[in-house]
Amino acid sequence: MTTTTEVVSEFAVLAETMEARPGSRLMRPVEALSAVLLVAIIAMLLSGVAFRYGLSRPIVWIDEAASIAFLWLAMLGSAIAIDRCEHLRLTILLNALGERARQFTETLGMVAIMSFLLVLLPAAYTYAAGEMDITSSALNIPAGYRAAAIAVGMVLMVLLAVAQLLRTAKPLDVVVSVAFVLAVALVLWLLTPALSAFGNGNILIFLVGGAAVCLAMGVPIAFCFGIATLLFLAFTTSMPLVVMIGRMDEGMSSLILLSVPVFVLLGCILDATGMGKAIVDFLASMLGHVKAGMSYVLLGSLFLVSGISGSKVSDMATVAPALFPEMKRRGHKPKEMIALLATGAAMADTVPPSIVLIVLGSVAGVSIAALFTSGFAIALVLLVALAALARIKAARENVDGVVRPSLKRIGGTALIAAPALVLPFIIRSAVASGAATATEVSTIAVVYAFIIGTVLYGGIGMRRTYRMLVETAAMSGAILLILGTAAAMAWALTQTGFAFELTDMMSGLPGGWFTFMLVSIALFMLLGCVLEGLPAIVLLAPIMFPIARAMGIHDVHYSMVIVTAMNVGLMAPPIGIGFYIACKIGNVSPDEAMGAIWPYIGAMVLGLLLIAAVPWFSLALL
């Protein structure tokens, strides 16, 4: 029998031979271990499904073992993301600086990250030591073995931060940055008595102002939340920092979130096997010959492909290369194509499996099955709005020489695409019907996609598989660290009593529930512009959902409104991160595309207002 150590060793040897490795030598064993952990999680979840549904003999320790591996994967993945510079951050303001100023700001940001980790490291050790006194119920082992992942991950990230500073930063910049961070800490310590008198004003100073300053500096979003929360707790409360570690652990450890890395891997498989391209080719054979046909194909492809990958970036990267050349030939302007691509990806973000909906269900306590069912209907509403605008804009489209495909060709593309087309409907129906959880379905979907992709769509080599596993670990770690630090910030926010004040203020708004909806739309659109959707949900869902319930708004209806609002903000220039991702994928200048996207944003907003005003769209299929 092959041991885990031998498997890790084999992956490490494979990593040594890979070309153009982005990771440092220090990280190769970590990447190999992360890949093994991801495979182990999938194997455990799949075994749990097989024994529970196939043999009616559930394995009681599966969830506990998967939870341990999951937290280790999250922290090791966060370290890999540091090494690869793959943590999500806002770079618009940073890029506006001159080269010298940008270099110093990046150094200052890395020193701030390193300081944050070093300050929390003793608390992480204390937290793990305390958990050693607790014995897990199923495996009968100390819970500290799981909690130790946080401290180990922090140590790795500190080492990587130091290595990056030694490799890229100027020594003078490092010295000045360290001195600046120490000076800020000293000033805040001296002002501690005065700060305590500010009350909830400290929310603006630290949780809002501190996070905003870090965000403007280009510090990754996860660390923006962490640094702001650390400063708030350290200088305005007497709360021990070990509590913050506990909240981070809680934010990253929900069993529902186990499906996040699995769906991320599913998106990688979709891209690697060409399953998404098969769907695009099928839709193009059906609709490509009519006016606005390629726009319909683009929107329909995003709708269907999103139902497999659960990732906007994966969706856009799959669809754009397959359709943009033909769209250009027909006279579509590149800026119009980018506008449609960006808003189409935002439209499809509620199509299951949606990582945003999974996280929202976990944080707000809303049924994921209900969210998946409603998300499908809401995406259809937005799809119609964007398709109508695309048809209006296609009045001058050149379709000369475009021949309608024969039924034989349509049938051929349908046959090729059929195995891929089945997958999104399996995912949606299985979760919506309650036959399986999102985590169980994600595991089945990965195995199905890997087998079908290998047999029918060209296969995936060992090296490509390894790269996908490591990339999944890095992306998952970046996502889960955001959830952890955002959960800590949300907890700190609720402890101030601010939530009760906000509830009173919102309840007194004229116009009742719809005015609250409009305020929520504006708030989440703004947060969608500045942040990625996940941290905004973790921050505000615990505060906003109780208010919505008190006003009689259905949880699922409110969920659809805020998720759609965030997606609109995410694609809205000049700040929306998703807009720049779409421009990069389509190789179009953001300056060129910026003017073209506003009519599409307008169509999305009109659809959003309709969804907010008419709960039927969100609730009809429940």
Side-chain angles (χ1 to χ4, degrees):
M1 179 180 292
T2 303
T3 65
T4 301
T5 305
E6 290 169 344
V7 174
V8 172
S9 177
E10 289 173 12
F11 270 123
V13 171
L14 177 61
E16 292 278 345
T17 63
M18 290 170 60
E19 298 176 347
R21 293 290 300 118
S24 62
R25 287 182 177 273
L26 169 68
M27 293 305 292
R28 284 174 178 167
V30 177
E31 291 176 352
L33 180 57
S34 298
V36 172
L37 284 172
L38 181 56
V39 172
I41 288 171
I42 294 172
M44 284 188 286
L45 294 176
L46 192 63
S47 299
V49 171
F51 275 83
R52 181 179 292 113
Y53 296 108
L55 303 176
S56 299
R57 296 179 61 185
I59 304 175
V60 295
W61 55 264
I62 285 286
D63 286 349
E64 207 169 87
S67 177
I68 296 172
F70 181 56
L71 185 59
W72 278 93
L73 176 68
M75 294 309 299
L76 296 181
S78 297
I80 296 170
I82 285 276
D83 185 55
R84 295 174 170 224
C85 298
E86 290 186 2
H87 277 283
L88 185 66
R89 61 182 188 146
L90 184 69
T91 58
I92 296 172
L93 298 177
L94 190 65
N95 292 334
L97 300 175
E99 182 177 353
R100 187 69 189 91
R102 184 171 66 252
Q103 288 177 348
F104 174 75
T105 304
E106 288 186 329
T107 300
L108 178 60
M110 186 57 68
V111 169
I113 292 171
M114 187 173 64
S115 303
F116 162 75
L117 294 168
L118 286 172
V119 170
L120 276 187
L121 195 51
Y125 173 80
T126 302
Y127 179 74
E131 290 287 296
M132 293 297 289
D133 296 330
I134 302 171
T135 302
S136 63
S137 57
L139 293 173
N140 200 31
I141 61 174
Y145 292 156
R146 187 190 69 87
I150 299 176
V152 171
M154 287 183 171
V155 169
L156 280 173
M157 286 187 273
V158 168
L159 294 175
L160 290 167
V162 171
Q164 187 166 327
L165 288 172
L166 291 175
R167 186 171 61 248
T168 63
K170 295 180 181 296
L172 179 61
D173 287 352
V174 175
V175 172
V176 173
S177 296
V178 171
F180 181 81
V181 169
L182 291 175
V184 169
L186 178 61
V187 169
L188 290 175
W189 180 74
L190 293 173
L191 291 176
T192 298
L195 289 171
S196 61
F198 272 72
N200 284 349
N202 288 316
I203 294 174
L204 290 175
I205 296 173
F206 291 100
L207 298 184
V208 177
V213 169
C214 291
L215 198 65
M217 290 168 53
V219 175
I221 291 174
F223 294 101
C224 291
F225 290 161
I227 291 169
T229 306
L230 174 63
L231 293 176
F232 177 79
L233 293 177
F235 296 110
T236 69
T237 74
S238 57
M239 194 71 65
L241 294 182
V242 70
V243 175
M244 181 176 174
I245 299 295
R247 295 298 167 174
M248 289 174 61
D249 182 7
E250 185 178 324
M252 291 187 287
S253 298
S254 171
L255 283 177
I256 296 175
L257 298 178
L258 271 170
S259 59
V260 170
V262 186
F263 277 130
V264 171
L265 178 60
L266 184 60
C268 293
I269 294 173
L270 173 73
D271 181 53
T273 58
M275 293 176 72
K277 187 178 182 304
I279 294 175
V280 173
D281 291 343
F282 167 61
L283 291 178
S285 70
M286 291 186 64
L287 300 171
H289 60 281
V290 302
K291 270 199 173 183
M294 296 307 291
S295 297
Y296 299 155
V297 172
L298 188 148
L299 292 172
S301 298
L302 287 168
F303 185 90
L304 290 174
V305 170
S306 180
I308 301 176
S309 73
S311 164
K312 286 187 287 291
V313 176
S314 177
D315 301 343
M316 292 190 288
T318 298
V319 171
L323 293 180
F324 275 16
E326 176 62 17
M327 292 179 76
K328 286 180 181 178
R329 193 193 70 76
R330 297 193 186 190
H332 287 262
K333 296 179 180 178
K335 61 182 182 180
E336 295 285 343
M337 290 158 31
I338 291 298
L340 192 61
L341 178 70
T343 50
M347 166 274 296
D349 201 40
T350 60
V351 177
S354 168
I355 292 174
V356 172
L357 294 185
I358 293 169
V359 172
L360 178 57
S362 171
V363 173
V366 185
S367 164
I368 292 179
L371 291 176
F372 274 19
T373 300
S374 181
F376 195 82
I378 292 305
L380 281 174
V381 174
L382 300 174
L383 176 66
V384 170
L386 290 174
L389 178 60
R391 181 64 185 85
I392 293 171
K393 284 182 165 288
R396 298 180 182 178
E397 182 180 344
N398 179 20
V399 292
D400 294 343
V402 178
V403 180
R404 182 172 184 171
S406 64
L407 289 176
K408 182 179 179 181
R409 185 173 184 278
I410 295 175
T413 58
L415 187 63
I416 295 172
L421 282 168
V422 168
L423 190 53
F425 296 100
I426 291 176
I427 293 170
R428 190 194 74 82
S429 59
V431 176
S433 66
T437 66
T439 303
E440 292 167 344
V441 169
S442 67
T443 309
I444 296 169
V446 160
V447 174
Y448 173 88
F450 190 85
I451 294 173
I452 293 297
T454 300
V455 174
L456 300 180
Y457 294 97
I460 310 173
M462 187 66 174
R463 292 187 179 186
R464 184 69 179 271
T465 301
Y466 177 80
R467 285 197 294 267
M468 286 194 307
L469 293 172
V470 174
E471 184 64 27
T472 298
M475 291 176 64
S476 302
I479 291 171
L480 293 167
L481 188 61
I482 288 175
L483 299 184
T485 54
M489 178 182 274
W491 174 82
L493 192 60
T494 56
Q495 296 309 299
T496 63
F498 172 74
F500 298 106
E501 295 179 13
L502 184 63
T503 300
D504 293 339
M505 184 181 71
M506 289 291 189
S507 301
L509 289 173
W513 71 271
F514 191 67
T515 301
F516 172 72
M517 277 291 201
L518 294 178
V519 171
S520 298
I521 288 171
L523 178 61
F524 279 93
M525 281 182 66
L526 176 62
L527 288 174
C529 283
V530 179
L531 306 175
E532 208 269 341
L534 298 179
I537 285 174
V538 179
L539 274 177
L540 289 182
I543 296 174
M544 301 298 284
F545 269 82
I547 303 174
R549 290 171 189 141
M551 291 189 169
I553 301 172
H554 197 286
D555 281 354
V556 174
H557 180 207
Y558 190 63
S559 299
M560 292 303 109
V561 170
I562 63 172
V563 169
T564 304
M566 283 189 307
N567 287 332
V568 173
L570 185 67
M571 297 299 175
I575 301 178
I577 299 169
F579 169 73
Y580 294 96
I581 294 174
C583 290
K584 183 176 181 180
I585 289 172
N587 196 26
V588 175
S589 165
D591 294 336
E592 182 183 355
M594 196 171 293
I597 199 172
W598 292 113
Y600 296 94
I601 294 288
M604 290 280 289
V605 170
L606 288 176
L608 171 58
L609 292 175
L610 183 64
I611 293 164
V614 185
W616 181 85
F617 289 113
S618 301
L619 307 178
L621 297 182
L622 298 185

